């Protein structure tokens, strides 16, 4: 914010004193009143007309998280050059010291078109909050040189409205899936040519509330991600306090272009986690549409040849069906092939060995492991998976302590609980760890990289039992010492490709847990 001059401070004091004088002169005619004072400024170098532009300031009761804010007092005055001083009278009888109050500032036209508003909370009066605040408002419209104003994103809003108007002519694919602790029912709308247009999801979060999500697409690219949720037991002071959460993110050709977030009616900026989460959810939704279309267009006859499957948990694998040998070879990216023998089924087909089972009908299959059942479907993707060669050197976790100085995997045994917790919170698919390190106060830092090259830092207690906090690493210049000298990839993932990596199978007491990939080109 720009420095405030002595002249401004003097002028503001005179205005406040003058207003107090006017108010005291009227004391005999009204209930005893007091004031909230402050200033409002904006950073843009533009001038607003005092003839048709107004500053609106409101004192609000924001105590109830499960209800809209309540207006206590308000004023409306012509704008002036910023900072604009305001004196807002209110009745002290309306203030309860147990409650929480905030000041909202807006700049509007004569027709109440919103031009600026504050995007952070300015608390006042109670709980040691001040009665004088300096507010910064943020522009919500662009002002052209000729004075014409229009809402940012109006073209995108028109496109969203046009999509909604055409939904009746779209093909609808209904479905349901389970993700961690909640159930999702959805409708996917696709054009007659099979292009995704909208995914409309309702998420039942169980004890944590509900969420409605809409994901719009244009030419196969994410256009808008919207979420409207009511969450319970979600970071509130009271476990049963509902939290109203609304998120709108706009994208241009798949890249974030802008957005808004409101929590219990208060505006704030979307954070990096919400943006990357929207991109990840969009990617999974596209895979699900692709799989469902392939499933609907696939004959229920037994599959033959090589097929690639995409699953609800975002994993992928290929299967080579050999009808003559009555076998199916299942191959995951970065893992050794699994040989399954055909078994009789009442309908469809089935293959299994001592550990795994594949059962299906047409292009829809269930992949069964000792710990879980995952629903998968044939994908239309034609890119082949890079499969693991059969022979790798084997290293035990206990042997890593004997590695040379400066290699982060020397402490792998102690870091493993934190690594496991961070991988469970990782964003994207095909995730590997490029470095992990102990920090102060019993915490561990973990840096990951996903199949798209996105990197994230994760901070979690060393035992892996606390909350894992993740953050996007935005640029490639933020490189940690020793980063990517060795990567760890869990057994369910994909070790990195290329000539610069030499791979080892990492085992713990004889059990395969993942890959160690040494960067042989490091520094070269």
């Amino acid at each position: 914010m720009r420095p405030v001059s002595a002249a401004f401070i003097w002028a503001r004091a005179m205005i406040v004193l003058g207003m107090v004088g006017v108010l005291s002169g009227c004391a005999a005619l009204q209930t005893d009143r007091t004031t909230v004072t402050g200033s409002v400024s904006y950073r843009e170098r533009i001038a607003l007309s005092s003839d048709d532009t107004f500053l609106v300031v409101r004192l609000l009761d924001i105590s109830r998280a499960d209800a809209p804010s309540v207006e206590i007092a308000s004023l409306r005055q012509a704008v002036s050059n910023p900072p604009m001083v305001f004196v807002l009278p209110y009745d002290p009888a309306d203030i309860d010291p147990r409650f929480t109050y905030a000041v909202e500032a807006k700049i509007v036209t004569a027709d109440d078109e919103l031009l600026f508003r504050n995007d952070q909370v300015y608390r006042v009066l109670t709980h040691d909050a001040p009665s004088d605040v300096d507010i910064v408002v943020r522009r919500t419209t662009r002002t052209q040189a000729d004075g014409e104003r229009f809402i940012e994103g109006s073209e995108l809003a028109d496109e969203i409205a046009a999509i909604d108007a055409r939904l009746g002519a779209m093909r609808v694919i209904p479905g349901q899936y389970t993700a961690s602790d909640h159930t999702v029912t959805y409708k996917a709308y696709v054009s007659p040519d099979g292009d995704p247009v909208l995914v409309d999801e309702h998420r039942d979060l169980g004890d944590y509330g509900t969420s409605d999500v809409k994901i719009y697409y244009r030419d196969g690219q994410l256009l808008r991600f919207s979420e409207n949720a009511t969450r319970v037991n979600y970071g509130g002071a009271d476990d049963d306090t509902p939290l109203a959460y609304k998120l709108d993110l706009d994208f241009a050709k798949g890249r974030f272009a802008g957005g808004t977030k409101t929590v219990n009616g208060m505006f704030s900026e979307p954070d990096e986690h919400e943006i990357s989460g929207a991109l990840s959810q969009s990617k999974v939704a596209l895979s699900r549409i692709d799989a469902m279309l392939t499933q609907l267009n696939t004959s229920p006859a037994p599959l033959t040849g090589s097929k690639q499957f995409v699953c609800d948990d975002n994993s992928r694998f290929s299967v080579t069906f050999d009808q003559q040998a009555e076998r199916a070879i299942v191959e995951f990216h970065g893992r050794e092939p699994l040989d399954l023998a055909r078994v009789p089924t009442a309908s469809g087909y089935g293959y299994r060995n001592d550990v795994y089972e594949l059962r299906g009908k047409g292009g829809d299959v269930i992949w069964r492991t000792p710990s879980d059942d995952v629903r998968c479907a044939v994908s239309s993707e034609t890119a082949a998976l890079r499969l693991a060669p059969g022979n790798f050197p084997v290293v035990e976790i206990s042997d890593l302590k004997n590695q040379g100085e400066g290699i982060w995997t020397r402490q792998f045994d102690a870091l493993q609980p934190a690594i496991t917790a961070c991988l469970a919170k990782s964003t994207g698919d095909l995730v590997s760890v490029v470095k992990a390190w102990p920090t102060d106060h019993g915490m561990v830092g973990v840096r990951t990289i996903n199949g798209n090259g996105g990197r994230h830092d994760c901070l979690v207690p060393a035992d892996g039992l606390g909350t894992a906090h993740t953050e996007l690493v935005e640029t490639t210049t933020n490189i940690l010492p020793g980063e990517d000298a060795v990567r760890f990839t869990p057994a369910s993932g994909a070790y990195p490709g290329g000539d610069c990596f030499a791979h080892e199978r990492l085992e713990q007491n004889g059990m395969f847990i993942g890959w160690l990939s040494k960067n042989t080109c490091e520094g070269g």
Side-chain angles (χ1 to χ4, degrees):
M1 194 169 163
R2 293 172 299 183
V4 179
S5 68
F8 166 70
I9 295 175
W10 179 86
R12 175 172 165 176
M14 293 301 98
I15 293 173
V16 171
L17 288 173
M19 290 296 295
V20 170
V22 171
L23 292 171
S24 61
C26 298
L29 302 177
Q30 63 181 26
T31 306
D32 184 31
R33 302 178 76 80
T34 186
T35 61
V36 172
T37 59
S39 70
V40 177
S41 60
Y42 52 83
R43 295 189 173 93
E44 288 78 3
R45 294 179 177 271
I46 59 175
L48 299 175
S49 170
S50 59
D51 294 333
D52 61 356
T53 314
F54 300 89
L55 171 66
V56 177
V57 181
R58 299 198 301 159
L59 174 62
L60 303 173
D61 178 354
I62 60 170
S63 305
R64 293 285 304 277
D66 57 347
S69 56
V70 177
E71 181 179 302
I72 303 298
S74 67
L75 65 81
R76 182 185 179 102
Q77 65 189 44
V79 300
S80 58
N81 291 330
M84 293 172 277
V85 174
F86 68 86
V87 179
L88 175 58
Y90 67 91
D91 188 342
D94 293 332
I95 304 300
D96 189 321
R98 299 170 300 171
F99 292 174
T100 303
Y101 300 89
V103 173
E104 174 195 76
K106 299 187 293 185
I107 298 176
V108 300
T109 67
D111 297 327
D112 284 329
E113 176 190 353
L114 180 64
L115 304 181
F116 293 81
R117 71 168 300 155
N118 58 295
D119 60 1
Q120 69 181 74
V121 179
Y122 292 89
R123 290 189 171 88
V124 291
L125 300 180
T126 58
H127 308 299
D128 297 323
S131 60
D132 184 271
V133 288
D134 295 314
I135 300 174
V136 177
V137 291
R138 181 176 180 271
R139 184 167 59 167
T140 58
T141 68
R142 292 198 297 262
T143 304
Q144 296 180 330
D146 61 2
E148 178 187 358
R149 298 186 181 97
F150 59 98
I151 299 175
E152 288 184 342
S154 60
E155 294 180 3
L156 187 145
D158 291 343
E159 187 165 355
I160 295 297
I163 290 174
D164 288 337
R166 298 197 310 267
L167 291 181
M170 300 292 174
R171 182 180 183 183
V172 182
I173 305 174
Q176 179 175 315
Y177 64 93
T178 300
S180 62
D181 59 351
H182 60 272
T183 300
V184 180
T185 56
Y186 67 90
K187 291 182 179 179
Y189 295 83
V190 298
S191 71
D193 295 330
D195 296 325
V197 174
L198 168 66
V199 176
D200 190 353
E201 295 188 347
H202 174 73
R203 302 175 179 180
D204 182 352
L205 308 178
D207 293 338
Y208 295 96
T210 62
S211 174
D212 293 307
V213 171
K214 290 187 176 183
I215 310 174
Y216 290 87
Y217 296 94
R218 175 178 57 196
D219 299 329
Q221 297 285 344
L222 176 60
L223 182 63
R224 170 174 287 180
F225 180 95
S226 296
E227 180 175 5
N228 198 341
T230 300
R231 296 176 176 172
V232 184
N233 301 325
Y234 193 82
D238 301 320
D239 286 346
D240 59 349
T241 300
L243 181 148
Y245 171 88
K246 182 169 174 50
L247 181 69
D248 288 299
L249 304 176
D250 292 337
F251 295 81
K253 295 183 179 179
R255 294 179 179 272
F256 178 63
T260 60
K261 175 176 68 174
T262 59
V263 179
N264 288 340
M266 302 304 296
F267 279 81
S268 62
E269 291 291 332
D271 60 41
E272 201 65 46
H273 302 303
E274 289 160 327
I275 296 167
S276 60
L279 288 166
S280 297
Q281 292 177 63
S282 168
K283 181 179 178 181
V284 173
L286 285 175
S287 295
R288 182 168 290 110
I289 293 174
D290 186 34
M292 292 290 287
L293 285 172
T294 304
Q295 174 185 344
L296 292 172
N297 296 329
T298 300
S299 168
L303 298 180
T304 59
S306 182
K307 305 292 182 185
Q308 186 173 162
F309 290 83
V310 61
C311 304
D312 280 351
D313 64 357
N314 209 26
S315 62
R316 289 175 170 83
F317 59 87
S318 69
V319 181
T320 300
F321 295 92
D322 188 336
Q323 298 297 335
Q324 185 173 357
E326 296 190 333
R327 309 196 77 79
I329 307 301
V330 179
E331 298 175 291
F332 282 85
H333 188 122
R335 294 172 64 182
E336 296 177 353
L338 303 169
D339 189 349
L340 280 61
R342 189 168 186 172
V343 294
T345 59
S347 62
Y349 50 87
Y351 298 86
R352 72 180 177 204
N353 61 15
D354 293 338
V355 181
Y356 301 100
E357 184 174 2
L358 182 76
R359 285 186 175 268
K361 200 170 195 179
D364 189 17
V365 303
I366 298 293
W367 174 243
R368 181 165 295 162
T369 70
S371 61
D372 199 9
D373 289 354
V374 182
R375 188 175 63 182
C376 313
V378 170
S379 170
S380 63
E381 295 179 6
T382 58
L385 295 174
R386 186 186 71 254
L387 302 176
N391 251 332
F392 282 111
V394 176
V395 60
E396 274 278 343
I397 286 181
S398 57
D399 297 334
L400 297 179
K401 298 176 183 178
N402 302 322
Q403 291 181 322
E405 293 289 340
I407 301 177
W408 71 267
T409 48
R410 287 189 68 187
Q411 305 179 66
F412 191 94
D413 194 16
L415 299 171
Q416 188 178 3
I419 289 173
T420 301
C422 286
L423 286 172
K425 289 277 290 184
S426 58
T427 300
D429 55 1
L430 308 180
V431 179
S432 299
V433 176
V434 296
K435 186 172 182 178
W437 64 97
T439 67
D440 296 335
H441 309 297
M443 305 294 284
V444 168
V446 179
R447 176 163 289 185
T448 62
I449 186 169
N450 61 33
N452 294 325
R455 295 184 301 155
H456 289 77
D457 280 343
C458 173
L459 188 66
V460 67
D463 58 10
L465 298 180
T467 301
H469 300 277
T470 61
E471 181 179 37
L472 179 68
V473 181
E474 295 189 25
T475 67
T476 57
T477 58
N478 185 7
I479 305 298
L480 299 171
E483 175 182 332
D484 217 18
V486 181
R487 289 191 191 184
F488 167 70
T489 306
S492 60
Y495 59 78
D499 297 331
C500 282
F501 288 98
H503 310 295
E504 297 175 328
R505 290 172 58 94
L506 183 61
E507 296 188 356
Q508 187 171 34
N509 300 322
M511 179 178 295
F512 172 56
I513 66 168
W515 308 99
L516 288 182
S517 303
K518 296 181 179 178
N519 192 339
T520 58
C521 300
E522 183 76 14

